[in-house]
Amino acid sequence: MKCVNLAVLLVFLQNAIALNAANTMLQNVPFANVTGSLNDNGVCQCSVYLPDTVFPVQKVEMLEITAQVLSEKLERELTKVSQYTKAIETYEQKIQNLTIKVEHMESTSVSYTELDFQLLKLEINEMERLVTQLKSTLVGSNVIVEQLYVEIKNLTLMVNDLESLDKNNILLIRREIVALQNRLKECEKHRNQTTTPSYFPPGSCGHGGIVNISQPYVVQLNWRGFSFKYGSWGRDYSLRTPQKDLYWVAPLNTDGRHLEYYRLHNSYDDLLLLKNARELKIPYGGEGSGTTVYNNFMYYNIYNSRDMGKLDLNTNTLAVRKALPNAAYGNRFSYAGVGWQDMDFAVDESGLWVIYSTEDSTGNIMISKLNETTLDVLHTWNTRQYKPSISNAFIICGVLYATRPVNTRKEEIFYIYNTNTEQEGKISIIMDKMLETIQSINYNPSDQVLYVYNDGYLVKHNLIFQPVLH
């Protein structure tokens, strides 16, 4: 029975070997017959020897070890590739950002400082260092990394070119900065020096025009109250009685159009104290805030007409009424922000003027010198300044000065027209104001003061003139 078992075992081995007959390594393998023996327990024992050519176990084990090592190396390389992919994506994003910066610098006309270029160079150098390090870790050539390296080199060249092109602008700006600094030093130097303004006697035109203007001095609210925002006021410039003071205040009605009442004060103290005032009603009524007083006569635009009126202040009677030829009226070309001032009468050292517009002048300012006795037009000058674009005007020594608002607290004297030379020009003298709108400005040659009607308040400004420039 035990031998039978041995035979079965041998048959099993032969069948197993037969199953591997397809393998060339196991074909035609010889087998050896051996004698079995019984052990102490009566079990049949025998030994079977398989040659190495039949099944190379050791080689298989070595192959498995080698496969395991290769698998670990592959995992490490795959991890490196993943890291390199992320690094390359980061570098690509940085290159795009840098490209956008450089293209912006190319497309704009702004002059960049040296610091801007240095910052760009630092970013590019950092990227170049990282990509070089990435190249050294890769065995062989990598197309993406090489492309990144080329793009970084191109960026470097572009920045260098931009820097060389911008040097002229930087130098120009630096020169301008130096020039401004020098001018600022000069201004500081002159500011620290206490200089006395040049003095020009009242009625004199031996100066070179306005150079500065004082802060506003508020005298008082007009006598009719805060609701009467429109009007005019001033001091009579009288050649007949220069020693006599006469102050006048002419607020319009609350409609901002109709001039109905006015007051006269024989001194500045009477004006301040509101005493000894003569309150009178204008015959036929006036229109707008363009009223002035000269040699004890009031000149104004008669209501709803192009007529000029000359009112005798001694008798409160209309002495002369005459049309201003072709003058626009009915609020056609009034000042900006001030209605119904189609005619603006002015007085300077030489006499009486009127500022207005016509349809033929398309709204541009016209200046006419008037005969104060007859109101005849003696001479007319046409300007190129549009009247509704200015806020007010006055005349000094035959020179028209026009103002415009800068903001609610500042006005600018910005335009001049010299009737003596028939030349116009631009200036910039800032004039502070108490309230938003200036309704009228009257100049008085006897004290060289501007009398301003500012939203119902009576305000004064002293003028500073410059010497004649040779």
Side-chain angles (χ1 to χ4, degrees):
M1 183 67 180
K2 295 179 179 179
C3 290
V4 173
N5 292 335
L6 178 61
V8 172
L9 178 60
L10 289 174
V11 172
F12 176 76
L13 289 172
Q14 287 177 351
N15 290 336
I17 292 171
L19 289 173
N20 293 293
N23 192 323
T24 56
M25 295 179 60
L26 299 179
Q27 288 179 355
N28 300 322
V29 177
F31 290 91
N33 295 323
V34 294
T35 303
S37 61
L38 296 173
N39 60 10
D40 296 338
N41 297 323
V43 177
C44 182
Q45 294 179 340
C46 64
S47 300
V48 177
Y49 298 94
L50 295 176
D52 184 60
T53 56
V54 177
F55 193 79
V57 176
Q58 293 181 350
K59 290 185 178 181
V60 170
E61 289 178 352
M62 291 179 63
L63 182 62
E64 289 179 350
I65 294 171
T66 303
Q68 182 65 28
V69 172
L70 289 176
S71 176
E72 292 175 356
K73 287 184 177 180
L74 179 61
E75 289 293 334
R76 287 196 295 271
E77 294 300 322
L78 288 175
T79 302
K80 287 183 179 180
V81 169
S82 177
Q83 293 174 350
Y84 295 156
T85 301
K86 292 180 180 179
I88 289 173
E89 290 176 353
T90 303
Y91 299 153
E92 285 180 337
Q93 186 61 44
K94 287 185 176 182
I95 286 178
Q96 289 178 358
N97 294 337
L98 282 174
T99 303
I100 292 172
K101 288 183 180 179
V102 174
E103 288 176 349
H104 178 70
M105 292 176 72
E106 284 183 314
S107 62
T108 59
S109 59
V110 178
S111 179
Y112 293 87
T113 63
E114 187 176 354
L115 178 61
D116 295 319
F117 292 108
Q118 292 300 325
L119 290 176
L120 274 178
K121 286 181 177 180
L122 285 176
E123 292 187 52
I124 293 174
N125 290 339
E126 177 65 17
M127 288 185 55
E128 186 176 355
R129 183 184 65 80
L130 292 174
V131 172
T132 303
Q133 181 181 355
L134 181 60
K135 286 178 63 178
S136 65
T137 60
L138 295 175
V139 179
S141 176
N142 187 291
V143 176
I144 297 177
V145 176
E146 291 294 336
Q147 185 178 356
L148 283 174
Y149 189 76
V150 170
E151 289 184 13
I152 290 174
K153 285 295 184 183
N154 292 337
L155 276 176
T156 303
L157 295 175
M158 290 171 65
V159 172
N160 289 336
D161 291 341
L162 280 175
E163 185 179 20
S164 63
L165 289 173
D166 198 67
K167 280 182 179 178
N168 292 333
N169 289 335
I170 292 175
L171 291 175
L172 179 60
I173 291 173
R174 285 177 177 170
R175 291 192 193 103
E176 291 179 355
I177 291 174
V178 171
L180 289 174
Q181 288 174 340
N182 291 334
R183 289 175 59 187
L184 183 61
K185 289 179 181 178
E186 288 294 324
C187 289
E188 289 290 331
K189 180 180 177 181
H190 290 305
R191 189 188 70 172
N192 294 330
Q193 295 175 351
T194 56
T195 57
T196 303
S198 301
Y199 173 73
F200 300 95
S204 168
C205 288
H207 52 74
I210 301 175
V211 69
N212 207 347
I213 189 168
S214 73
Q215 291 293 311
Y217 174 74
V218 180
V219 177
Q220 61 186 208
L221 183 65
N222 79 87
W223 57 276
R224 299 190 72 180
F226 185 76
S227 298
F228 296 82
K229 294 181 177 294
Y230 291 82
S232 56
W233 82 292
R235 179 186 178 190
D236 179 22
Y237 178 48
S238 179
L239 299 177
R240 299 170 186 169
T241 56
Q243 73 282 355
K244 182 181 177 182
D245 279 345
L246 179 65
Y247 290 87
W248 56 275
V249 183
L252 304 184
N253 290 349
T254 52
D255 60 1
R257 178 184 182 183
H258 190 193
L259 173 60
E260 193 172 7
Y261 296 96
Y262 68 96
R263 270 188 178 184
L264 300 176
H265 303 269
N266 291 326
S267 70
Y268 187 65
D269 290 341
D270 286 349
L271 171 67
L272 292 177
L273 299 175
L274 297 176
K275 68 177 185 178
N276 300 325
R278 290 181 289 156
E279 183 176 331
L280 302 164
K281 185 174 182 179
I282 295 181
Y284 304 104
E287 182 170 279
S289 303
T291 304
T292 195
V293 171
Y294 177 53
N295 276 332
N296 209 43
F297 286 92
M298 178 177 285
Y299 298 88
Y300 62 99
N301 180 200
I302 293 180
Y303 189 81
N304 198 31
S305 72
R306 62 166 55 97
D307 291 349
M308 301 177 286
K310 177 183 177 181
L311 183 69
D312 188 339
L313 297 181
N314 291 321
T315 60
N316 193 39
T317 57
L318 187 63
V320 178
R321 176 172 181 166
K322 181 167 289 188
L324 180 60
N326 301 318
Y329 69 99
N331 205 30
R332 179 70 173 109
F333 296 117
S334 187
Y335 292 135
V338 182
W340 306 103
Q341 201 163 339
D342 295 287
M343 295 184 196
D344 188 11
F345 292 89
V347 173
D348 76 343
E349 290 76 2
S350 66
L352 182 65
W353 304 77
V354 63
I355 304 163
Y356 62 105
S357 295
T358 66
E359 294 295 340
D360 290 339
S361 73
T362 63
N364 288 348
I365 293 175
M366 297 184 67
I367 309 166
S368 288
K369 188 70 167 59
L370 298 177
N371 181 313
E372 65 266 19
T373 303
T374 63
L375 295 185
D376 291 333
V377 174
L378 302 177
H379 190 78
T380 299
W381 293 263
N382 298 320
T383 76
R384 291 184 293 179
Q385 178 63 47
Y386 188 53
K387 186 169 180 278
S389 69
I390 70 173
S391 58
N392 232 283
F394 55 94
I395 296 176
I396 299 176
C397 292
V399 178
L400 173 101
Y401 294 85
T403 64
R404 63 184 174 189
V406 176
N407 52 46
T408 58
R409 288 295 179 268
K410 291 185 183 297
E411 202 88 357
E412 180 189 28
I413 303 173
F414 77 101
Y415 172 83
I416 60 173
Y417 184 90
N418 192 331
T419 61
N420 305 300
T421 62
E422 299 188 349
Q423 298 294 317
E424 58 187 346
K426 300 291 184 181
I427 60 173
S428 180
I429 300 174
I430 299 301
M431 173 179 173
D432 291 332
K433 55 187 178 181
M434 301 304 298
L435 295 173
E436 184 171 351
T437 306
I438 289 178
Q439 281 75 18
S440 68
I441 301 176
N442 276 287
Y443 170 70
N444 189 289
S446 60
D447 54 12
Q448 298 172 337
V449 169
L450 294 183
Y451 292 85
V452 177
Y453 197 97
N454 184 193
D455 276 336
Y457 284 87
L458 315 183
V459 183
K460 294 198 306 181
H461 291 267
N462 293 317
L463 297 175
I464 301 171
F465 299 103
Q466 62 182 337
V468 177
L469 301 177
H470 297 288

